[in-house]
Structure formats: structure tokens, C-alpha cells
Amino acid sequence: MARYNSILDTIGNTPLIRLGRMAPRHVNLYVKVESFNPMGSVKDRMARAIIEDAEQSGALTPGQTVIEATSGNTGIGLAMVCAQKGYPLVVTMAENFSVERRKMLRFLGAKVVLTPASEKGTGMLTKAEELAAQHGYFLCRQFDNPANARVHTETTVPEIIRDLQGDPLHTFVTGFGTGGTLNGVATGLRRVSPDTEIVAAEPDNAQVLGSGIPQPRDEQGKPTGSHPNFKPHLMQGWSPDFISGLTEEAVANGFVDSIQPVPGDLAMQTARRLAQDEGIFAGTSSGATLAAALAIAESAPNGANIVCMLPDTGERYLSTPLFADIGEDMNADELELSRSTQGFRFDTRSAPSPAVAAQPVTLDKSAEAFVKSAPTQAPVVMFALEWCEFCWSARNLLSEMGVEFISVDLDSVAYQADDRGNKIRAVLAEQTGSPTIPQVYVDGEHIGGCTELFDIQRDGQLDTALNKLGVSFTPYNEDPYALLPKWLHTRAS
Ligand code: PMP
């Protein structure tokens, strides 16, 4: 490992891994695991290539805003590249793509403009074009930009050939979204390994290439709408509703030797098997590409070397059908396992702790004075911890309502000297009869913890108390319990 000057220098050089358990024994099936890229997908390659190509040609000037229509991975890659290089980024995305993707983009500093799901891929593209034209942004045009394909010719292909160490490559399998991978890898392989069979995989319910029907386009070559064979499918990042320029070019050049249709449920099942049998955690389109490669492998000659692209990590799909069967709570098996030993079960009280002789508690005088005076310093005062999720949820409710409050964070630096935070906690526990945090006070009166605060908000008592104090606030009409982090819901409500 070298030292790197920037995160961008860690893009590419992803590992080629032989599948030892899933592949039929008579072939060598290798997966190229693109989740090893810094932002976890194959699109990091393209993001850097398009931006640097535009820098060199002068199409992108320092400080200019970059914009692109993307289902996520391209945007996430671009967000990394733009953050590192200092370009503002706007991404247009159809609302039906996973929420994780939007949040990641915003975390990386990008703006995300959603477009209606009904308008599909062409909707997000047209919106990006409109915004670029109106505001003078640099539009990446990943579906047609030759830099998207070129980076695969220049990096992905040499990596594969190097890692095969002289062994011949019989078959290369990929899906296509922009077609950058397909076009660029095929271009490179035809030069250095002309006998390699190139297989393009696509959803079985949306066979746009398999149909042989050309993409309808206007005189400028722009798609005039969805391809007639397109149907919504489960493989995010694969087959948009039109055939891209780069995909069309790959087909026209005779680079696609065969087309392999893949059913959506098989794609997801294969992604799960890949995780559970090989320990490789990848997304839906990876499962789909591997399903295609496994189908090809069945009839491949003995000793054939097959390379299959795995475009991204599985972590991006927690809210999608890929995880639909993966539960949050314990299933019957896990419950049985839990019940197989005595301690720490949910169906019995915890084992009583061994009797401890009651220690006389000496409470710190200044802490006592503080617990008495602090609750009168604001309409709402809570004794809290900085990193407690119940405290965080209670603070969220008060912020949503715009109520003036003080959060006395007992684990913060301000309360660390002389163990003051713990001394205050001891006084609080003694006075409230509850060892838990937060402890909330309204108008100097002790209310209880987070759930008690939520309860008095729900039944109107909090509003009444605040009105009585003459405190201004915005009535909160949602269920405050929804403010708890998701994993707390079942336990706390
Ligand atoms: N899988 C996923 C998850 C993707 O995000 C993409 C890119 N849209 C692809 C596959 C297809 O790659 P390409 O755009 O190079 O055809």
C-alpha cells in the first residue's frame, strides 16, 4: 500500500475473487468486486474520469456547479469527486430510488432534486438538462459521455488481464445502465483478448436489447421516450427506460456476443447466496449479474475462466426489496435460542442481582443546590446525556415545537471536572426515584423521562403548561413517539 495524496487515488484496482462455493466445479468463476472503490461502487471510476476529462477540455471551470441525472451510485461517486475538488454538485433523481442514496448524497454536500417516479429515467434526465441550461451548470451526460466508457478501457480491462496472470478470459459478464462498463470493457477486451465472449445481462421483464427493437430517437439522436419493451424492474442501476448512446454503440460495434435475461427474484436470491455462501456483500444488480454468469457457467467448457462484474455494495439496499425478508426482531429460531439459557431473556425478569448491603449515600451539597436551581432556568430543562438516543428524541420534540429549553448534558466536558456530572446524577436519582436519563422538568416541575414528556405532549398537558407560562411554541401534531430512532420503537412505545 502506498500513501495516497487524495481519496481519488484509491479508485480502481478492485479485487478479482474466485467463487469457491457457488460456482460449478468445472469452471473458474471470478467476480470483480467494485464495492472496494472508496464510495462503494463501480461508478467512482466514471465520476473521476468525467470530471477530469471536462477539466482538461475546459468544459468545466473552477468553482462551476456540476449536475447529473443519476439513480444514486454515479451521484455518490460524483459527490466524492466534487467534494474533493471543490465543485458544488446538484443531482436529479427519481423519487423511487432508495432513501439511503439521497441521504448519502446530501451528507457529501450535494443537492438532490427529486423527480416523479412516473416520469422514469427520462424525467430525471430532462430535469437535469433544464437546470443545466437555466443555471449554466456542467452536465455530465453519463449515458453518452465517452469518458465513461474510456475509463473502463483504460483501467478495468488492464486490471482484469493483469490479475488473470496470463490465463485466457473466456467470458465477461456485465449488466448495463449507462453502458459505460459494457462499452468500455468490451472495447478494451476486443483489443487485448479478442476471443473473449461478451455477455450483456438484462432484466427478463424488460428486454430492451433482447427485443432487437431500436431506441426511438429524434433528429438530434435524443431518446423520444421510453423504449417500447421497457417495464419497471428490480435491478436498480440496470436498464433505464431507454437504450443509452454508449450501450447502442457497443451493440452497433458487434461487442455484445450474447444477451442473458435475468428474473428479479433470482437476482435477489443470488445476492443473498453470495453474501451467505461466499461472504461477499453486494447489491441487487450484482446478484443479477452473477445469476447471469452462473447460467452461462453451466454450459461453459471445462476450465473456462469467467469474469463477472459486481457493481456495488449491498449496504445501499437496506430499504429495498433485497432486504424485504430480513427481519428486525428475533424470528422463531432466534427466540428459541434465546430461551435455551436462563439469563438475559425477554420472557422472564432479569436474574436478581446479588444482594448488596445498602451503602449510605452522601450526596454532594453543591450538586444538590444545582438540581434545585437548574430546573427554574428555562421553561423546559432536561438533565441529559450528549449521546443518549432518548435525550436526542426529547430534544427533537422540543426543537420541533420551538420551545426554549436547556439540556444539561451531564457527560459533556463542562461537567467532567471533579466528577460533577455523576454527582448531579446521584442527586437526581435520589430525588426523582429514577436512575434513568433524561429527567425532564417543565416550569420547574419534575415530569419524568422521555416517554413521560411524549405522553404529556400527546394528551395536551405540555401545551397547557407552556400556555400558562406564556411561552410561545408551535403546536406539534404528529406522534412524538415517531421521533425515537427506528430501532427503539418496539421497545419504547
Ligand atoms: N449496477 C449498479 C448498481 C449501478 O449503479 C450501475 C450504474 N448505473 C450499473 C449496475 C451499470 O453500470 P454502467 O452504467 O457502467 O452500465
Side-chain angles (χ1 to χ4, degrees), residues 43 71 73 152 175-181 236-238 285 311-312 317:
K43 311 304 291 199
S71 62
N73 281 331
H152 290 286
F176 56 93
T178 64
T181 311
Q236 281 196 28
W238 264 23
S285 72
D312 71 355
Y317 299 87

Side-chain angles (χ1 to χ4, degrees), residues 15 36 89 94 116 135 152 158 162 172 191 196 232 245 261 265 281 287 364:
F36 275 75
L89 174 68
H135 302 292
H152 290 286
R162 176 196 68 199
F172 173 78
R191 284 180 203 149
T196 300
D265 53 355
F281 187 40
D364 180 83

Side-chain angles (χ1 to χ4, degrees), residues 9 35 61 72 83 88 121 152 209 259 286 294 297 345 372 417 424 442 447 470:
D9 294 339
S35 61
T61 52
H152 290 286
L209 283 195
I259 298 165
S286 299
L294 286 168
R345 293 162 52 164
K372 203 162 170 204
I424 295 170
V442 177
I447 297 299

Side-chain angles (χ1 to χ4, degrees), residues 41-43 46 70-74 101 142-143 148 152 174-182 235-239 247 283-286 289 311-312 317:
S41 96
V42 66
K43 311 304 291 199
M46 180 215 74
T70 153
S71 62
N73 281 331
T74 294
R101 296 184 177 206
Q142 57 167 337
F143 292 97
N148 174 9
H152 290 286
T174 182
F176 56 93
T178 64
T181 311
L182 173 66
M235 283 74 118
Q236 281 196 28
W238 264 23
S239 312
T247 305
T284 315
S285 72
S286 299
T289 317
D312 71 355
Y317 299 87

